[in-house]
């Protein structure tokens, strides 16, 4: 638990000056990077302030060397670059691992400040010496003497090792930052609500994202404003480094939230665009891409935060790569499913709502996720199929059929007269030609074969529909009309049977039909057409 006393101890530690044990021998100044940097910092401390000795760390013949030594110390403090003396290399032949040269960078975030070996002696580099005026103007755009006029018993009194004059300066900075935040926040909200929303019809979701984004943008600018002016207060190095690191991390977080809001607005309009397309798979793809984009933004942001905390990001990424390879080998199925989902989104073998069949599974596609696809079977159960398996399977997409085939064989008895067979076939063709959902240019009705107990008639046609329910209803109507036509013509359907034939029987009057087959055919066709029109026979 963070107690008040612990907070005070932390503040005291952060506000304490750089601890340098004692002076260094002038003959050892140029022996190593340690000697150069230690000598420079030691002789610019409050209790050992001798700029002419600090200047020994610079190359010979440097113009205004003492002034440049003082400015470089202020630059380091203003940037919040805390130098850990105990970690400085003491090897005369020290070599930078990246450039393979005899140089040492004090801080990798600013490679203009480094020491180099010239001959057998180490000095601050000539590049650093030349860049000191530019870096000083960059760090202190308004100078570094902002509070030098405030002196006196009260102003020189220190609280947590920070003088009261500097606390006053920080208070003024916070007041101006609050005013800046309020102005930027109000201005951006006014632009969104009064200008943009009046000229462009913004959906409520986009308007909310813009309002939240304007607030985050104001917070981001406020932190950058503090970072811009903070160096001129010349706070104790540890305290200043802590504030700068904290504000850097905070600004990165604000930037992440701002980019996420922008991405959310972009994907809102992409979702709106995909809803206007015939393809339903892209509707499912947008939320997945949105999540992936947010993950990428957070990963990049965390990398920048780690880099700000002086973590060796290159080594970390190398370790993550090796660890990622091990994880990938241990979770091959997960990786396979992920890439399977990518292939499904790219190839688009089916859409949401399509009826598909594969590996004995038949159903309608409900959702395509990052790992698996959800299929609603015709038994109304839900099947989750790994995308890796689905991508490797042969998928029969019933939803892409332009027409649905209907094929059947009708077996009629052998005692059916040829005249009735011809009229029956003619009537079936008339049924297919007049049904509202059949394809009129491609159907076949023919005597096809002689079976063991029936004469077989092939009925082959296509139903013009993409809906299973309409297909079933159309089949029902066609079969029902055929049964009615058979009844009208007196045609009997055959079934497996055995017949017993007697050589001779007394001939009797078998009676006579009231109407001829032609008359019964015409009567039946009229009733069938009425059935297609009204649904009633």
């Amino acid at each position: 638990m963070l107690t008040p006393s612990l907070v005070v101890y932390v503040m005291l530690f952060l506000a304490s000056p750089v601890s340098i044990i004692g002076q260094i021998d002038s003959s050892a100044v140029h022996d190593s990077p340690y000697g150069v940097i230690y000598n420079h910092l030691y002789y610019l401390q409050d209790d050992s302030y001798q700029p002419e000795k600090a200047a020994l760390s610079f190359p010979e013949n440097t113009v205004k060397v003492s002034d440049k030594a003082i400015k470089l110390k202020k630059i380091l403090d203003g940037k919040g670059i805390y130098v850990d003396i105990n970690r400085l290399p003491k090897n005369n032949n020290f070599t930078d691992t990246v450039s393979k040269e005899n140089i040492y960078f004090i801080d990798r975030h600013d490679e203009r400040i480094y020491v180099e070996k010239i001959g057998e002696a180490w000095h601050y580099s000539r590049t650093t010496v030349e860049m000191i005026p530019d870096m000083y103007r960059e760090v202190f755009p308004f100078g570094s003497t902002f509070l030098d006029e405030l002196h006196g018993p009260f102003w020189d009194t220190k609280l947590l090792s920070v003088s009261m004059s500097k606390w006053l300066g920080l208070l003024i900075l916070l007041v101006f930052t609050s005013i800046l935040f309020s102005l930027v926040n109000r201005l951006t909200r006014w632009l969104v609500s009064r200008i943009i929303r009046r000229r462009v019809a913004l959906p409520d979701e986009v308007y909310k994202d813009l309002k939240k984004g304007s607030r985050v943008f104001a917070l981001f600018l406020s932190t950058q404003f503090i970072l811009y002016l903070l160096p001129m207060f010349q706070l104790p190095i540890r305290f200043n480094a802590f504030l700068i690191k904290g504000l850097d991390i905070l600004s990165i977080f604000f930037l992440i939230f701002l980019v996420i809001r922008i991405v959310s607005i972009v994907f809102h309009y992409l979702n709106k665009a995909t809803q206007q397309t015939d393809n339903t798979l892209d509707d499912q793809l947008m939320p997945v891409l949105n999540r992936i984009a947010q993950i990428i933004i957070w990963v990049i942001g965390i990398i920048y935060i780690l880099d700000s905390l002086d973590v060796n990001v290159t080594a970390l990424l190398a370790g993550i790569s090796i660890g990622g390879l091990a994880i990938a080998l241990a979770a091959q199925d997960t990786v396979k499913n992920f890439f399977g989902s990518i292939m499904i989104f790219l190839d688009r073998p089916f859409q949401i709502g399509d009826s598909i069949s594969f590996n004995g599974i038949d159903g309608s596609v409900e959702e395509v996720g990052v790992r698996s696809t959800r299929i609603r079977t015709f038994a109304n159960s839900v099947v989750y199929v790994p995308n890796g398996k689905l991508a490797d399977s042969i998928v029969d997409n019933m939803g892409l059929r332009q027409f649905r085939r209907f094929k059947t064989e009708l077996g009629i008895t052998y005692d059916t007269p040829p005249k009735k067979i011809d009229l029956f076939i003619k009537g079936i063709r008339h049924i297919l030609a007049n049904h509202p959902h059949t394809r009129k240019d491609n159907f076949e009705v023919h005597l096809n074969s002689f079976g063991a107990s029936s004469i077989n008639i092939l009925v082959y046609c296509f139903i013009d529909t993409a809906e299973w329910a309409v297909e079933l209803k159309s089949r029902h109507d066609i079969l029902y009309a055929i049964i009615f036509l058979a009844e009208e013509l007196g045609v009997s359907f055959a079934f497996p049977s055995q017949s017993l034939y007697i050589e001779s029987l007394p001939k009797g009057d078998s009676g006579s039909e009231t109407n001829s087959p032609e008359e019964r055919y015409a009567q039946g066709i009229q009733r069938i057409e009425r059935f297609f029109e009204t649904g009633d026979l």
Side-chain angles (χ1 to χ4, degrees):
M1 183 175 180
L2 197 62
T3 61
S5 59
L6 181 60
V7 173
V8 173
Y9 291 147
V10 172
M11 297 295 288
L12 286 172
F13 171 77
L14 294 175
S16 61
V18 180
S19 59
I20 299 180
I21 299 173
Q23 67 182 20
I24 187 173
D25 189 349
S26 59
S27 62
V29 171
H30 306 293
D31 287 347
S32 64
Y34 171 86
V36 174
I37 300 171
Y38 185 96
N39 178 78
H40 174 228
L41 297 180
Y42 175 79
Y43 284 112
L44 291 178
Q45 301 300 312
D46 292 338
D47 54 353
S48 56
Y49 191 78
Q50 300 182 54
E52 65 281 359
K53 289 189 176 181
L56 294 175
S57 298
F58 288 76
E60 296 181 358
N61 302 323
T62 301
V63 180
K64 297 181 180 180
V65 61
S66 296
D67 179 62
K68 289 185 177 179
I70 295 171
K71 285 186 175 181
L72 181 58
K73 172 66 165 56
K74 288 185 175 181
I75 291 170
L76 293 173
D77 292 347
K79 283 179 168 288
I81 300 176
Y82 173 71
V83 180
D84 188 351
I85 297 297
N86 295 320
R87 299 182 65 178
L88 294 175
K90 298 180 180 180
N91 182 9
N92 180 264
N93 294 318
F94 174 82
T95 303
D96 182 68
T97 56
V98 177
S99 63
K100 304 301 181 182
E101 298 178 359
N102 295 124
I103 59 177
Y104 175 76
F105 292 96
I106 295 179
D107 186 83
R108 281 288 181 183
H109 295 97
D110 194 340
E111 296 188 350
R112 295 173 295 180
I113 306 175
Y114 64 95
V115 296
E116 65 179 353
K117 186 178 181 181
I118 304 174
E120 293 298 322
W122 285 85
H123 299 90
Y124 275 110
S125 68
R126 289 157 291 185
T127 301
T128 300
V129 175
E130 292 174 0
M131 295 299 296
I132 286 176
D134 294 335
M135 288 189 292
Y136 189 81
R137 286 191 296 268
E138 177 186 316
V139 178
F140 305 103
F142 303 105
S144 60
T145 60
F146 176 66
L147 300 172
D148 288 354
E149 301 300 326
L150 292 177
H151 288 290
F154 174 76
W155 297 117
D156 292 336
T157 302
K158 292 187 177 182
L159 176 63
L160 301 178
S161 297
V162 180
S163 65
M164 296 303 296
S165 61
K166 293 183 179 180
W167 281 116
L168 175 62
L170 290 176
L171 180 61
I172 295 173
L173 179 59
L174 289 177
V175 170
F176 276 101
T177 303
S178 300
I179 295 173
L180 175 66
F181 168 75
S182 180
L183 289 176
V184 174
N185 189 31
R186 290 177 181 271
L187 177 62
T188 52
R189 288 196 174 197
W190 178 78
L191 288 174
V192 171
S193 59
R194 298 294 180 88
I195 305 298
I196 299 177
R197 200 175 190 188
R198 286 185 178 181
R199 296 186 179 183
V200 182
L202 293 178
D204 291 337
E205 295 180 2
V206 175
Y207 180 65
K208 290 179 181 178
D209 283 333
L210 284 175
K211 287 180 65 177
K212 294 178 180 178
S214 64
R215 184 178 181 85
V216 175
F217 177 69
L219 290 170
F220 175 74
L221 281 185
S222 299
T223 55
Q224 293 300 308
F225 178 74
I226 295 176
L227 286 171
Y228 184 68
L229 297 180
L230 188 62
M232 71 181 190
F233 295 102
Q234 289 287 285
L235 298 172
I237 179 58
R238 286 184 175 175
F239 190 47
N240 195 41
F242 175 78
L243 286 179
I244 290 177
K245 291 291 184 183
L247 290 171
D248 275 336
I249 294 172
L250 195 60
S251 63
I252 293 173
F253 271 113
F254 289 147
L255 189 59
I256 290 172
F257 291 136
L258 182 60
V259 174
I260 285 177
R261 291 298 172 192
I262 295 173
V263 169
S264 178
I265 293 172
V266 171
F267 272 97
H268 174 82
Y269 285 103
L270 288 177
N271 285 330
K272 193 174 181 180
T274 56
Q275 290 173 2
Q276 298 176 357
T277 62
D278 296 332
N279 186 9
T280 57
L281 193 60
D282 53 9
D283 299 339
Q284 192 72 35
L285 177 62
M286 286 301 108
V288 176
L289 291 180
N290 190 6
R291 289 195 294 269
I292 293 175
Q294 292 189 14
I295 292 173
I296 292 174
I297 292 170
W298 274 106
V299 169
I300 294 174
I302 291 173
I303 289 175
Y304 273 99
I305 290 173
L306 294 175
D307 183 64
S308 178
L309 293 173
D310 296 327
V311 175
N312 192 335
V313 177
T314 304
L316 180 63
L317 291 178
I320 291 175
S321 301
I322 297 173
L325 178 61
I327 294 173
L329 292 174
Q332 295 182 40
D333 291 339
T334 302
V335 176
K336 182 179 179 181
N337 292 329
F338 174 74
F339 284 102
S341 64
I342 294 177
M343 296 308 300
I344 290 174
F345 285 128
L346 292 177
D347 293 342
R348 293 185 293 182
F350 48 77
Q351 301 183 30
I352 305 300
D354 282 354
S355 296
I356 63 173
S357 176
F358 70 98
N359 294 345
I361 299 175
D362 301 315
S364 177
V365 180
E366 285 192 345
E367 180 184 358
V368 180
V370 177
R371 179 191 174 277
S372 62
T373 297
R374 187 174 68 194
I375 298 174
R376 177 76 61 176
T377 67
F378 296 131
N380 203 36
S381 62
V382 177
V383 177
Y384 289 88
V385 183
N387 288 331
K389 182 177 181 180
L390 187 60
D392 291 338
S393 300
I394 298 176
V395 178
D396 187 2
N397 191 340
M398 304 296 183
L400 294 180
R401 293 180 296 178
Q402 295 179 338
F403 304 97
R404 302 202 174 203
R405 189 183 69 166
F406 176 40
K407 176 184 177 183
T408 186
E409 278 196 336
L410 304 176
I412 60 176
T413 59
Y414 271 102
D415 60 356
T416 307
K419 188 67 174 178
K420 286 187 178 182
I421 294 175
D422 186 57
L423 291 174
F424 187 50
I425 293 173
K426 183 179 177 182
I428 295 174
R429 289 173 179 168
H430 188 87
I431 290 170
L432 299 181
N434 288 273
H435 191 276
H437 291 292
T438 54
R439 183 176 176 181
K440 308 302 186 290
D441 61 342
N442 188 8
F443 64 84
E444 303 291 340
V445 182
H446 302 283
L447 275 177
N448 190 45
S449 63
F450 293 105
S453 57
S454 63
I455 300 174
N456 298 322
I457 300 173
L458 173 67
V459 178
Y460 184 91
C461 68
F462 292 92
I463 299 173
D464 188 4
T465 182
E467 300 179 16
W468 190 47
V470 176
E471 177 188 2
L472 294 178
K473 181 63 169 57
S474 300
R475 288 189 178 200
H476 169 87
D477 292 343
I478 293 170
L479 293 174
Y480 188 78
I482 291 174
I483 292 172
F484 174 76
L485 177 63
E487 181 182 8
E488 286 294 315
L489 292 175
V491 173
S492 299
F493 292 103
F495 51 87
S497 61
Q498 291 182 345
S499 299
L500 180 63
Y501 295 94
I502 300 176
E503 214 34 61
S504 62
L505 287 174
K507 293 184 179 180
D509 187 5
S510 60
S512 60
E513 296 178 347
T514 56
N515 296 325
S516 66
E518 289 79 1
E519 292 174 340
R520 294 178 64 84
Y521 169 76
Q523 181 181 358
I525 290 300
Q526 290 177 359
R527 295 182 66 182
I528 288 171
E529 291 177 350
R530 186 167 63 251
F531 167 67
F532 286 157
E533 293 176 359
T534 65
D536 184 17
L537 286 172

